[in-house]
Amino acid sequence: MNIMNELSLEQRRVFINLAQVYETYRETYQHSLHYQGSMRWKKSNAKEYLFHGRRGKGYGKSLGVRSAATEVIYEQFHAGKQRNKKRLESLKAELSLGAKYAKLLKLNRVPKQVA
């Protein structure tokens, strides 16, 4: 007696697409860890330093005196953080929609004998 049913072509398509979107989401999330914390200018002794804060209590490190190089680092950090945030939001929306398709196509069902 065969308790497992073959997936239809549509079910396979949705499953594969959802698996790929999920894998992309995981990779994007791992990449977002690079953008944790904050980056700001901090004044000390009449000079401005680029400060990369890691935790909420002022921990972090200085990346150097304000210069053309540190300006570029600052801009790249904030642009990358914003891009990554938008990408994660887009992927979350796609996963949410894919979950609805999976539920509609009964991809989340397991036969009682297996359970």
Side-chain angles (χ1 to χ4, degrees), residues 11 17 19 45-46 51 55 58-59 70-71 78 81 84 87:
Q11 286 174 320
N17 287 346
N45 297 331
F51 183 77
R55 298 187 203 151
Y59 298 110
T70 55
E71 291 273 350
H78 285 286
K81 189 171 187 171
N84 197 273
R87 179 79 172 134

Side-chain angles (χ1 to χ4, degrees), residues 38-92:
S38 65
M39 197 170 282
R40 59 190 170 89
W41 299 106
K42 206 173 190 181
K43 278 193 175 191
S44 179
N45 297 331
K47 290 185 180 181
E48 282 189 308
Y49 293 88
L50 182 58
F51 183 77
H52 187 194
R54 285 290 179 167
R55 298 187 203 151
K57 299 189 181 200
Y59 298 110
K61 69 177 187 173
S62 173
L63 300 176
V65 178
R66 190 171 203 155
S67 67
T70 55
E71 291 273 350
V72 169
I73 293 169
Y74 178 82
E75 293 299 323
Q76 286 177 344
F77 178 83
H78 285 286
K81 189 171 187 171
Q82 190 64 27
R83 253 192 332 268
N84 197 273
K85 181 180 175 183
K86 286 182 182 178
R87 179 79 172 134
L88 279 174
E89 289 171 358
S90 168
L91 289 168
K92 278 182 188 178

Side-chain angles (χ1 to χ4, degrees), residues 10-31:
E10 185 66 14
Q11 286 174 320
R12 285 184 214 167
R13 185 187 65 78
V14 168
F15 178 77
I16 291 169
N17 287 346
L18 206 51
Q20 289 173 343
V21 171
Y22 179 70
E23 187 60 33
T24 304
Y25 176 82
R26 285 188 44 192
E27 290 169 3
T28 305
Y29 178 79
Q30 286 298 320
H31 185 68

